[in-house]
Amino acid sequence: MSFQAPKGVPEYLPPRSAIFLAVRDAFSTAAENAGYSYIEVPVFEDTELFARGVGESTDVVTKEMYTFADRGGRSVTLRPEFTAGVMRSTLEHGLHTGQLPVKLWTTGPAFRYERPQAGRYRQLQQFDVEAIGTEDPAVDAETIALAWAGYQALGLRRVRLLLNTLGCKQCRPAYRAALQDFLRGLDLDEATRARIEVNPLRVLDDKRPEVRAQVENAPLITDHLCASCKAHHDRVRSLLEDLGVPWEDTPRLVRGLDYYTRTTYEFDHPLLGAQSGIGGGGRYDGLSEDIGGPALPGIGFAVGVDRIIMAVEAEGLAQRAPARVAVYGVPLGEEAARRMFTLVNALRAAGVSADMAFDGKGLKGAMKGADRSGATYAVILGERDIAAGSAQVKDLASGEQTAVPLAEIVSTLKEKLTK
């Protein structure tokens, strides 16, 4: 076959795909435990939504979006991130007219045209949480703690929380002017110098070593905060301390999207090298207005499922392949296969995960399948067992084997598996 997956698009195959599901489950459980509800938003949207929402000066908009004209001549873009689409959906369907904050989570692929490398893909998988309609710093702390709970549920112990604030519309202009004055004195290329005039914060987000070295002594936003932003930031840190969530003050932390204000944070994993960011988020109090909605504050985060999988593997937390099923049927003969098929489906209906050997495999081949499935028990059924009205239930760890009446197989296995 000559077909291959598109360049820069990862695939997750068994048994590694089990880690993929475990990551999504850990974060969705944390979100639902905090009262967040699931939302499904389109994979593609009007291009202008992302241009206005994400920011026309960002690398995402200028270099990385998958944009095309559909058959009706409309410019549409595969979503590069979730927040703009979630905000658009919230406004369009009037969710913000009910109880606030609107607390939502979603998950799925996002798309960015990047140079493929480890941890940086053109189709990236994200888990996203948004709380819309509140300025309360407690909700800032809640979203951070929610993400932290997801990492902890996976057993990750090397995650670092980097925390900063970007100020607001009142205090950022003075900082912007001070930053521009500083950056104009540096030896930067023409494209970067142009960025100083459009959005100087983007220069602080530049990952090139030669640029990072020059901005090391750039002015800090924390030295230019208004009283309200300082109080907000102090409250967030105080609440995180109350929750036992450790953070590191990172006054030069700048997220890559234009809509961030005030609380800004990233989760970092030191074992992943250059692509060490495994999630991040912040407050976006002006996003609703940017896309034509009313003043509506919000905060949220997105975590990178692909990179979290790498972190799980880097910490050695995924060495054992998970069991596919709890029970594996081993039929010996055509009539046994027919009866086993009914029995396996009865187990599934009773909530017991089960599979069986197909294609008339002999005892040796079928038992190999049982071992590979990771099952706890095998149910062996042959002609003599059928005549006796029973089957052999074998504990695959101890090797102990017991005859159990066919009518009692389901209840017996349920009892054994719940002990």
Side-chain angles (χ1 to χ4, degrees):
M1 189 189 74
S2 60
F3 295 107
Q4 294 181 325
K7 187 176 182 180
V9 178
E11 296 182 289
Y12 294 97
L13 314 177
R16 194 170 184 240
S17 55
I19 312 173
F20 183 97
L21 294 177
V23 171
R24 292 200 316 191
D25 289 347
F27 285 90
S28 62
T29 297
E32 290 180 349
N33 285 345
Y36 288 72
S37 299
Y38 181 74
I39 182 173
E40 180 73 20
V41 292
V43 172
F44 62 89
E45 299 256 16
D46 187 311
T47 299
E48 188 65 15
L49 172 67
F50 298 119
R52 291 169 61 182
V54 175
E56 296 190 27
S57 69
T58 63
D59 284 348
V60 171
V61 172
T62 60
K63 300 177 182 179
E64 299 171 3
M65 293 204 311
Y66 278 92
T67 298
F68 56 95
D70 68 9
R71 292 191 175 187
R74 295 170 290 263
S75 179
V76 295
T77 296
L78 296 179
R79 64 187 179 208
E81 56 93 56
F82 279 95
T83 304
V86 172
M87 179 63 84
R88 188 271 312 149
S89 185
T90 296
L91 296 173
E92 181 178 345
H93 300 290
L95 298 183
H96 62 298
T97 63
Q99 181 178 343
L100 296 177
V102 180
K103 300 170 76 171
L104 304 167
W105 71 269
T106 189
T107 187
F111 304 87
R112 298 184 186 182
Y113 192 85
E114 303 196 67
R115 183 171 64 86
Q117 53 187 298
R120 188 177 287 274
Y121 305 118
R122 291 176 175 174
Q123 177 176 298
L124 53 145
Q125 298 287 337
Q126 290 190 340
F127 182 93
D128 183 87
V129 158
E130 310 293 351
I132 298 170
T134 179
E135 295 181 334
D136 194 329
V139 179
D140 300 33
E142 177 180 270
T143 65
I144 294 170
L146 193 162
W148 189 258
Y151 294 124
Q152 298 303 297
L154 292 167
L156 291 169
R157 295 293 177 262
R158 300 290 300 275
V159 180
R160 300 162 57 222
L161 167 59
L162 312 180
L163 184 64
N164 192 24
T165 178
L166 293 178
C168 66
K169 291 181 179 179
Q170 280 65 51
C171 56
R172 195 186 292 182
Y175 173 65
R176 174 190 173 97
L179 181 59
Q180 285 178 317
D181 286 345
F182 173 83
L183 295 175
R184 287 169 184 145
L186 302 182
D187 182 19
L188 300 170
D189 61 85
E190 197 62 33
T192 305
R193 298 190 73 81
R195 181 170 287 181
I196 294 172
E197 308 308 319
V198 178
N199 191 339
L201 288 175
R202 296 280 70 77
V203 181
L204 298 183
D205 195 42
D206 199 306
K207 300 298 189 291
R208 291 173 295 175
E210 63 272 21
V211 177
R212 296 186 77 88
Q214 290 192 70
V215 301
E216 184 65 30
N217 296 316
L220 302 178
I221 181 64
T222 47
D223 294 332
H224 294 77
L225 295 177
C226 63
S228 179
C229 284
K230 185 178 186 307
H232 188 103
H233 190 49
D234 288 344
R235 181 63 171 161
V236 171
R237 293 188 294 176
S238 174
L239 290 168
L240 290 175
E241 187 173 343
D242 291 345
L243 296 177
V245 177
W247 80 90
E248 299 177 25
D249 281 321
T250 314
R252 287 190 173 81
L253 174 66
V254 178
R255 300 286 293 152
L257 308 178
D258 278 358
Y259 50 58
Y260 285 111
T261 59
R262 288 192 168 176
T263 303
T264 309
Y265 56 92
E266 283 190 4
F267 295 99
D268 178 85
H269 198 286
L271 300 184
L272 299 189
Q275 305 301 333
S276 61
I278 59 174
R283 181 161 284 283
Y284 45 85
D285 292 345
L287 174 59
S288 176
E289 295 163 275
D290 287 343
I291 64 173
L296 193 65
I299 185 166
F301 70 78
V303 298
V305 175
D306 306 291
R307 293 189 191 175
I308 294 173
I309 291 172
M310 294 169 61
V312 167
E313 293 171 333
E315 289 199 31
L317 301 173
Q319 296 176 352
R320 185 179 301 174
R324 289 194 292 111
V325 292
V327 177
Y328 194 88
V330 178
L332 304 175
E334 187 174 336
E335 177 61 18
R338 187 182 69 82
R339 296 199 179 205
M340 184 63 72
F341 185 72
T342 301
L343 178 59
V344 163
N345 279 275
L347 285 164
R348 293 169 181 168
V352 176
S353 59
D355 198 2
M356 64 178 281
F358 293 97
D359 295 321
K361 288 185 174 67
L363 179 62
K364 185 176 180 180
M367 291 306 294
K368 281 185 179 179
D371 289 337
R372 289 169 181 162
S373 75
T376 304
Y377 294 99
V379 178
I380 305 168
L381 184 65
E383 291 181 4
R384 291 182 181 178
D385 300 304
I386 294 173
S390 63
Q392 305 298 314
V393 175
K394 182 173 183 178
D395 185 318
L396 292 173
S398 68
E400 181 182 348
Q401 186 168 304
T402 308
V404 177
L406 287 171
E408 299 175 14
I409 289 288
V410 174
S411 59
T412 298
L413 286 168
K414 283 198 73 172
E415 182 180 351
K416 286 179 176 291
L417 289 166
T418 53
K419 285 183 178 179

